[in-house]
Amino acid sequence: MPKKILTVDDSASIRQMVSFTLKSAGYDVAEAVDGNAGLSKAQGTQFDLVLTDQNMPGMDGLTLIRSLRKQPSYNATPILMLTTESSDQMKALGRAAGASGWLVKPFDPQKLLDVVKRLVG
């Protein structure tokens, strides 16, 4: 059975690129337009990995990660930040919130696949 991945980003073009990249590698991908929608989808379905942007309306990526980490079913689930934010301070905040890794946009599709494969197989 393919691994389920949730991608959360307010940019439709980024969601499409991430989805296309992951689906072409055989993953089952769901999309959410912001943190609130992402949290709602994650509560309805158990995902093997969550990819989230940081800067989104409503609920940002760090808040989404903290919210997911409070749920027992997402204690050990890999959560990757995929964002334009690349400062050491933001990365430290991401680690503190429970992010498993950090990818900077624009992303290299092969690098994304390599990281996802390492985390979920």
Side-chain angles (χ1 to χ4, degrees):
M1 218 168 99
K3 298 286 186 181
K4 288 186 180 161
I5 299 176
L6 174 63
T7 181
V8 185
D9 200 305
D10 57 326
S11 163
S13 59
I14 293 288
R15 282 196 317 276
Q16 286 170 346
M17 280 193 306
V18 170
S19 282
F20 177 79
T21 301
L22 294 171
K23 283 178 180 172
S24 66
Y27 294 102
D28 180 4
V29 183
E31 298 178 22
V33 296
D34 61 27
N36 290 315
L39 183 59
S40 177
K41 286 196 178 189
Q43 287 169 330
T45 303
Q46 180 63 45
F47 291 95
D48 299 297
L49 178 111
V50 177
L51 269 164
T52 182
D53 184 20
Q54 166 52 21
N55 300 310
M56 298 179 286
M59 181 191 295
D60 68 16
L62 291 175
T63 306
L64 173 61
I65 292 172
R66 286 188 203 103
S67 300
L68 287 172
R69 289 294 184 219
K70 285 180 189 164
Q71 299 180 32
S73 57
Y74 282 95
N75 269 347
T77 302
I79 303 175
L80 287 173
M81 291 292 283
L82 178 62
T83 178
T84 54
E85 299 276 353
S86 60
S87 72
D88 290 339
Q89 182 187 6
M90 275 305 292
K91 288 179 183 175
L93 288 170
R95 276 192 299 276
S100 312
W102 200 278
L103 292 167
V104 178
K105 293 181 202 169
F107 70 96
D108 171 0
Q110 190 55 55
K111 188 174 179 188
L112 173 66
L113 288 174
D114 291 346
V115 171
V116 168
K117 193 171 183 68
R118 199 169 67 235
L119 290 170
V120 297

